[in-house]
């Protein structure tokens, strides 16, 4: 079984993100970069299928030179091969990313293509569905549990007020939610082996963008909140605040 | 500036969901600004869905919840109606269908928009990426384009004018997914993304057996209120996953969010940052939740929460 996992390198969740001085873009991030947390769970699922069914796992990342580090991290977790779809900067339009990734993925047959539900930075929430659309294969979004047999996958997902059980044939694209599995840590041996594993580099073919950022700004900062030590009058004061100031009850 | 506008409406037993009626409000505003017309697209059964839009494009389809047929039905309606803008609510289903629809049409999609304004004839969509750390305004460059709208970003369109219903025949593809859905058993009927007031419990609640005090607070706050929780709480099975808010759970924007025994990790705050007012109850004055709270109460939640409930009940 050949599995591809699309991983996006994103700023660490704790990292500070600012508008750039130009007022219309987001400033280059200068903190720690991580593998998108949902994608890490996708890598974990692929590695579980490697452990249980001997799957061969290839991780694929599109982006500038820095994303090689994310690929090495996934190799250290246990992925077998990596493809770096290289471009100068991360595209603003997820459709552009999806097109270039789909072009790369179409070069080989995959039993399964895994991705994350959403990138925590740009929050595009569409690359997996677009890849599946381009390849003409089924896609299931926001997957929280999955089992794969010879020719089908059976997955569970949550939507508002309901749990869905979805079945489809493979090959398929599954967009994984982090809740599916906690990713394993790379072992020392894994890290050493990752250094010797191949990272194929291909040039991304990026088409025109379908959207542009016209302004970036900080959200209204909350005024320094009112903070009190709980005491005899707190409940009455708090309720008065909610009624008279916030006017929400 | 743009052609007509459609809203792909989600509907259930109670009619069109409030999250979709909020999108009707945006559609109506955009239609009057651009001089276009707007209509709701209702896929499947139409009986329970004719609420609040002047015009309904009804696409019948086989029973089932396959998102690709939904997207194909919406694409058909968009084509027939001369549509430049396709809107959906940014619910789990709405986002998934929107992604398939945009892929099918080969056009741009902005998910989870929190606002919209028109500047010099250009429609700018507001988004809150990076877990709400920055806001951006996007211009869409394809025709048509697709956007989903974060629940509670607009007021639901009021009134239920009688709609003109046009039924259209669409050749829909055979579903690739077989979907079986199981309603979650819920103590409360309101989805967490639709609630005006959310009372949320974290690990400080110490165990599922203590949720009674939060339910009583919800009760005292009235029918607009519901429950949510932090991720460790749903991971431990204390509360259903549908209540988990944050980076890996739901993103919500209630008028009032009351965090009880929640430390306020960035991953948690990512899901609640667009709440209008945040109240935090935590016994640790250094808990990061107080940095985002408008009203912070330092104290033992097992005292504070029942006191709030008593106060609300006693002073109505
Ligand atoms: C990739 C990733 C994704 C994540 N996604 C999410 C997410 O989507 N949502 C989410 O919530 N978390 C998420 N997390 C986890 C997050 O980092 C925190 O660990 C989590 O939010 C902490 O939950 P908590 O506040 O309930 O528990 P804790 O951090 O343990 O906080 C409990 C709080 O309760 C207070 N407390 C204890 N007893 C009392 C009392 N009697 N009265 C008053 N206060 C009391 C304590 O002072 C403390 O501040 C994610 C983590 C990772 C790594
Ligand atoms: N630049 C990228 N390289 C590899 N995979 C990506 C990239 N961007 C997005 N993806 C994949 O698509 C998923 C959803 O991304 P998005 O649609 O941008 O929110 C991510 O979790 C990744 O699995």
């Amino acid at each position: 079984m050949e599995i591809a996992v699309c991983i996006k390198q994103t700023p660490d969740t704790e990292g500070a993100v600012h508008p750039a001085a130009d007022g219309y873009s987001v400033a280059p991030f200068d903190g720690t970069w991580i593998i998108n947390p949902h994608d890490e769970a996708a890598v974990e699922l692929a590695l579980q299928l490697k452990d249980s069914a001997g799957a061969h796992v290839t991780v694929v990342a599109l982006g500038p030179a820095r994303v090689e580090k994310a690929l090495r991290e996934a190799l250290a977790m246990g992925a077998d091969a990596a493809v770096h779809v290289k471009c100068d900067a991360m595209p603003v339009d997820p459709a552009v990313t999806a097109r270039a990734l789909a072009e790369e993925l179409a070069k080989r047959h995959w039993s399964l293509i895994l991705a994350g539900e959403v990138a925590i930075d740009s929050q595009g929430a569409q690359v997996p569905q677009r890849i599946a659309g381009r390849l003409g294969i089924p896609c299931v979004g926001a997957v929280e549990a999955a089992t794969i047999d010879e020719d089908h996958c059976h997955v569970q997902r949550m939507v508002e007020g309901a749990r869905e059980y979805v079945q489809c044939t493979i090959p398929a694209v599954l967009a994984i939610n982090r809740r599916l599995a906690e990713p394993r840590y790379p072992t020392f041996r894994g890290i050493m082996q990752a250094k010797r594993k191949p990272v194929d580099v291909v040039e991304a073919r990026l088409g025109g963008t379908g959207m542009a950022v016209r302004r970036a700004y900080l959200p209204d900062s909350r005024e320094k909140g009112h903070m009190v030590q709980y005491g005899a009058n707190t409940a009455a004061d708090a309720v008065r605040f909610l009624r008279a100031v916030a006017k929400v009850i | 500036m743009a052609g007509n506008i459609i809203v792909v409406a989600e509907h259930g037993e109670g009619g069109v969901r409030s999250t979709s009626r909020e999108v009707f409000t945006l559609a109506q505003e955009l239609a009057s600004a651009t001089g276009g017309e707007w209509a709701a697209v209702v896929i499947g059964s139409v009986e329970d869905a004719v609420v609040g839009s002047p015009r309904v494009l009804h696409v019948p389809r086989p029973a089932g919840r396959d998102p690709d047929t939904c997207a194909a039905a919406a694409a058909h309606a968009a084509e027939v109606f001369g549509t430049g803008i396709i809107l959906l609510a940014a619910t789990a289903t709405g986002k998934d269908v929107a992604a398939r629809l945009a892929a099918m049409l080969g056009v741009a999609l902005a998910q989870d928009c929190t606002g919209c304004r028109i500047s010099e004839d250009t429609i700018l969509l507001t988004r809150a990426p990076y877990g709400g750390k920055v806001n951006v305004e996007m211009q869409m460059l394809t025709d048509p384009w697709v956007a989903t709208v974060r629940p509670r970003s607009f007021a639901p369109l009021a009134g239920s004018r009688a709609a003109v219903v046009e039924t259209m025949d669409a050749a829909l593809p055979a579903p690739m997914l077989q979907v079986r859905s199981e309603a979650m058993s819920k103590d409360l009927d309101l989805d967490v993304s639709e609630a005006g007031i959310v009372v949320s419990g974290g690990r400080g609640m110490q165990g599922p057996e203590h949720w009674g005090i939060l339910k009583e607070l919800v009760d005292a706050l009235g029918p607009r209120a519901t429950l949510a929780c932090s991720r460790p709480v749903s991971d431990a099975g204390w509360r259903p996953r549908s209540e988990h808010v944050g980076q890996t759970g739901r993103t919500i924007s209630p008028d009032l969010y009351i965090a009880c025994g929640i430390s306020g990790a960035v991953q948690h705050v990512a899901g609640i940052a667009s709440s209008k007012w945040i109240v935090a109850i935590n016994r640790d004055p250094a808990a990061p939740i107080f940095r985002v709270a408008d009203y912070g109460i330092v104290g033992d939640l097992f005292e504070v929460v029942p006191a709030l409930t008593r106060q609300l009940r006693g002073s109505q």
Side-chain angles (χ1 to χ4, degrees):
Chain A
M1 181 160 44
E2 291 286 335
I3 302 180
V5 189
C6 298
I7 58 174
K8 184 177 185 187
Q9 191 187 42
T10 61
D12 177 26
T13 312
E14 310 270 344
V17 181
H18 301 289
D22 60 21
Y24 62 85
S25 59
V26 177
F29 178 71
D30 62 1
T32 311
W33 293 90
I34 59 170
I35 300 175
N36 186 42
H38 297 291
D39 306 3
E40 267 186 326
V43 173
E44 176 59 32
L45 172 61
L47 296 177
Q48 287 175 6
L49 291 165
K50 175 177 173 174
D51 296 343
S52 65
H56 183 265
V57 178
T58 303
V59 286
V60 183
L62 177 141
R66 62 169 162 83
V67 309
E68 187 190 329
K69 178 167 161 281
L71 291 168
R72 294 276 171 210
E73 283 162 10
L75 290 171
M77 286 171 73
D80 300 294
V83 181
H84 180 183
V85 184
K86 203 168 179 178
C87 53
D88 292 338
M90 207 59 95
V92 167
D93 182 355
V96 172
T97 302
R99 208 181 297 130
L101 285 171
E103 189 174 78
E104 179 57 31
L105 292 164
K107 290 179 187 164
R108 283 170 54 189
H109 175 83
W110 306 99
S111 303
L112 211 51
I113 296 174
L114 303 179
E117 171 183 347
V118 58
I120 62 158
D121 52 358
S122 52
Q123 295 176 207
Q126 54 190 273
V127 167
Q129 288 87 346
R130 287 188 188 269
I131 289 174
R134 294 211 153 241
L135 302 180
I137 59 178
C139 175
V140 190
V143 171
E144 294 192 6
T147 53
I148 317 294
D149 61 28
E150 254 163 47
D151 43 19
H152 283 88
C153 44
H154 309 266
V155 316
Q156 275 183 46
R157 57 193 302 268
M158 291 283 314
V159 299
E160 283 72 18
R163 188 185 296 280
E164 290 186 344
Y165 298 87
V166 185
Q167 189 184 310
C168 66
T169 53
I170 59 173
V173 177
L174 302 183
I176 305 297
N177 179 285
R178 171 73 174 211
R179 289 184 287 201
L180 182 129
E182 272 307 300
R184 63 193 66 187
Y185 287 105
T187 58
F188 179 70
R189 196 162 148 260
I191 296 167
M192 296 315 288
Q193 283 177 342
K195 296 195 168 127
R196 293 194 305 271
K197 289 180 185 167
V199 174
D200 284 346
V201 182
V202 297
E203 288 299 318
R205 283 217 319 201
L206 304 180
T209 188
M211 54 170 72
V213 185
R214 292 293 179 230
R215 187 160 90 99
Y217 55 102
L218 289 175
D220 291 344
S221 64
R222 292 178 184 277
E223 308 222 334
K224 179 82 193 85
H226 191 72
M227 202 161 144
V228 294
Q229 183 73 40
Y230 179 69
N233 298 323
T234 310
D237 288 344
V239 169
R240 205 172 304 124
F241 175 87
L242 294 176
R243 290 218 169 101
V245 181
K247 300 191 170 70
V248 285
I249 58 172
Chain B
M1 164 165 49
N4 292 331
I5 300 163
I6 59 173
V7 179
V8 184
E10 278 179 65
H11 54 99
E13 272 162 32
V16 170
R17 296 205 70 93
S18 70
T19 40
S20 292
R21 285 189 289 116
E22 292 162 13
V23 187
F24 289 176
T25 301
L26 172 60
Q28 192 179 53
E29 280 173 19
L30 282 174
S32 65
T34 61
E37 278 186 70
W38 76 277
V41 173
V42 171
I43 299 162
S45 140
V46 79
E47 288 88 68
D48 51 359
V50 192
V51 185
S53 74
R55 196 156 169 189
V56 170
L57 310 177
H58 171 222
V59 191
R61 64 158 190 157
R65 299 178 60 104
D66 171 60
D68 294 305
T69 30
C70 241
H76 177 81
E79 159 96 53
V80 173
F81 194 55
T83 306
I85 302 174
I86 304 170
L87 303 172
L88 299 90
T91 57
T93 307
K95 285 190 282 189
D96 188 40
V97 170
R100 291 163 203 267
L101 176 58
M104 226 170 253
L105 297 172
V107 301
L109 162 64
Q111 295 273 34
D112 211 18
C113 298
T114 54
C116 177
R117 77 183 171 98
I118 297 180
S119 158
E120 291 165 9
D121 272 11
T122 300
I123 298 174
L124 295 172
L125 298 172
T126 313
R127 300 186 65 237
Y130 297 91
K133 287 181 197 165
V134 285
N135 286 352
V136 292
E137 286 183 342
M138 309 294 304
Q139 181 183 358
M140 307 300 275
L141 305 171
T142 59
D143 178 24
W145 49 262
V146 186
T148 62
V149 181
R150 181 175 292 185
R152 300 187 44 77
S153 299
F154 293 86
L157 189 67
S160 56
R161 273 188 289 164
V164 180
V165 180
E166 289 158 59
T167 297
M168 33 187 69
D169 253 335
L172 300 176
M176 287 192 281
L177 309 182
Q178 276 169 268
V179 185
R180 188 166 62 79
S181 102
E182 195 173 86
M184 301 283 289
S185 64
K186 288 205 290 180
D187 309 326
L188 302 149
D189 233 13
L190 198 58
D191 187 72
V192 60
S193 64
E194 294 174 6
I197 301 176
V198 174
V199 175
S200 190
R203 203 141 55 178
M205 291 295 295
Q206 290 168 20
E209 66 278 14
H210 296 133
W211 245 260
I213 57 170
L214 296 190
K215 289 181 187 166
E216 285 187 18
L217 179 55
V218 163
D219 214 44
L221 286 162
R224 297 173 59 230
T226 195
L227 289 170
C229 68
S230 68
R231 177 171 173 200
V233 164
S234 72
D235 281 354
W238 297 359
R239 295 299 303 168
R241 282 186 166 195
S242 53
E243 289 181 11
H244 154 199
V245 297
Q247 185 184 81
T248 46
R250 316 287 297 276
T251 304
I252 59 173
S253 327
D255 292 333
L256 174 60
Y257 184 77
I258 306 181
C260 309
I262 291 176
S263 58
V266 225
Q267 293 92 348
H268 185 80
V269 172
I272 61 157
S274 54
S275 305
K276 284 206 189 68
W277 295 89
I278 297 176
V279 171
I281 302 162
N282 196 303
R283 66 178 174 200
D284 173 10
I289 191 72
F290 288 125
R291 291 206 287 264
V292 294
D294 301 287
Y295 200 98
I297 302 174
V298 182
D300 183 348
L301 70 90
F302 294 101
E303 283 180 60
V304 181
V305 173
L308 284 175
T309 307
R310 277 194 305 275
Q311 184 67 33
L312 285 161
R313 289 198 172 134
S315 66
Q316 267 159 8

